[in-house]
Amino acid sequence: MHAGSPDAGVVLWHVLGPMSEKRQGRSSLSRSGSSIEGEEDSSSSSSSLRSAPPTTLPVLDLGNGVSELIVMTMQAMLNTGDEVLIPAPDYPLWTAAVTLSSGKPVHYRCDEQQDWFPDIDDIRKKITRRTRAIVLINPNNPTGTAVHVDDLRRLVERVPDDVLVVVDEAYADFSDQDFTRRVGDFDNLIVLRTFSKAHGLAGIRIGYAVGSPDLIEKLYRVKAAFEVGDVHESIALEALEDESYLRHAVSTIRSERKRVGAALEK
């Protein structure tokens, strides 16, 4: 795949969409598989998610929220003593998941004087022979700092091929930075997304990981016996269709963020 790969919504639609008319049997939405050809959907919907360009899409795996996928990724990839570079400050589950998977969390600095951007030199200094993965949260939780996809790409290009890069994009809809389009350029890259934030569907617990077939297959080896249910998958399909709601929600939250920020500064 090249830099013009479909975004996360297109990837999801080509996994979820064809199943919407096959609800009688067991759903296969939440399983990994081989790459999916981006054929034009035959339905009459005007949704742009159904009209991906002809290309080979990356593979994805659904999880019960990104939280489950964070834990799965660490369980699948780490051996005892393996190191994982994590931003400081970070979403605390990352540090906990590494520790629970017998790994060693190593925190790299996000510089407050530079708007909390990751300190690239600090990351490079902390990569050792024990480093198994680097976590990039974009935008970061809790700082809100978003790294432009071009800068993110340059960073990933500097990472050794045998080191996994995990980009947590739980809040990506609020930043216009979508690194799922770059998944096919790197064999060592996984991007995590969720319906919990911009879509406002935290209660249905659906997240997804996008990556190469080999990486997603490793996640599937540690997957829980009971996967995301058909009802929740159907809700996810409806959310993908309702692009106008997503745009409205993101716009409203952005404007409210400015209003609250201004009030706090008074």
Side-chain angles (χ1 to χ4, degrees):
M1 194 187 315
H2 50 75
S5 303
D7 63 18
V10 171
V11 173
L12 264 179
W13 178 255
H14 280 271
V15 174
L16 297 178
M19 298 305 299
S20 62
E21 299 175 356
K22 301 178 181 179
R23 308 309 298 179
Q24 295 85 355
R26 181 190 180 280
S27 170
S28 61
L29 304 187
S30 52
R31 62 175 174 82
S32 62
S34 59
S35 298
I36 301 165
E37 291 300 322
E39 299 175 355
E40 184 176 355
D41 192 277
S42 60
S43 70
S44 59
S45 171
S46 61
S47 172
S48 63
L49 296 179
R50 299 188 180 217
S51 56
T55 184
T56 299
L57 301 179
V59 177
L60 65 83
D61 192 17
L62 298 185
N64 290 288
V66 161
S67 297
E68 181 186 44
L69 291 166
I70 289 173
V71 175
M72 285 172 56
T73 301
M74 296 299 97
Q75 289 178 339
M77 305 300 177
L78 298 185
N79 293 314
T80 300
D82 283 348
E83 296 177 354
V84 179
L85 272 58
I86 302 171
D90 72 316
Y91 178 48
L93 181 58
W94 278 110
T95 297
V98 172
T99 302
L100 290 171
S101 302
S102 300
K104 177 183 177 182
V106 177
H107 291 91
Y108 61 83
R109 189 167 68 104
C110 293
D111 191 351
E112 182 176 6
Q113 303 305 316
Q114 299 295 325
D115 294 327
W116 296 105
F117 273 77
D119 187 326
I120 306 303
D121 290 336
D122 193 42
I123 293 175
R124 295 174 67 180
K125 289 176 183 176
K126 289 178 176 174
I127 296 177
T128 71
R129 61 181 182 84
R130 297 293 301 177
T131 302
R132 182 66 184 92
I134 299 174
V135 174
L136 301 165
I137 307 175
N138 200 48
N140 193 11
N141 175 10
T143 65
T145 300
V147 179
H148 192 277
V149 291
D150 292 339
D151 295 326
L152 202 58
R153 179 187 178 89
R154 283 190 285 270
L155 173 58
V156 177
E157 287 174 339
R158 298 179 183 179
V159 174
D161 292 339
D162 60 347
V163 174
L164 175 69
V165 178
V166 186
V167 181
D168 181 346
E169 288 194 340
Y171 291 91
D173 290 304
F174 301 107
S175 71
D176 298 323
Q177 303 304 318
D178 179 3
F179 209 58
T180 57
R181 292 177 177 272
R182 301 294 183 263
V183 167
D185 297 337
F186 302 97
D187 293 330
N188 61 333
L189 173 65
I190 288 180
V191 179
L192 305 182
R193 282 292 194 99
T194 182
F195 282 85
S196 296
K197 312 307 181 190
H199 288 280
L201 295 174
I204 70 169
R205 308 308 304 149
I206 289 190
Y208 54 97
V210 187
S212 70
D214 287 344
L215 290 178
I216 298 302
E217 178 60 30
K218 288 182 173 66
L219 296 190
Y220 201 69
R221 293 174 188 173
V222 299
K223 198 171 185 65
F226 300 101
E227 303 180 4
V228 176
D230 286 357
V231 173
H232 291 179
E233 291 169 356
S234 297
I235 295 172
L237 279 170
E238 292 297 320
L240 286 176
E241 289 279 5
D242 198 351
E243 296 177 84
S244 63
Y245 171 79
L246 180 62
R247 289 192 296 268
H248 172 73
V250 169
S251 175
T252 300
I253 292 171
R254 282 175 168 172
S255 63
E256 285 298 290
R257 179 177 59 190
K258 292 179 180 178
R259 184 182 67 83
V260 172
L264 291 174
E265 292 177 355
K266 291 183 179 178

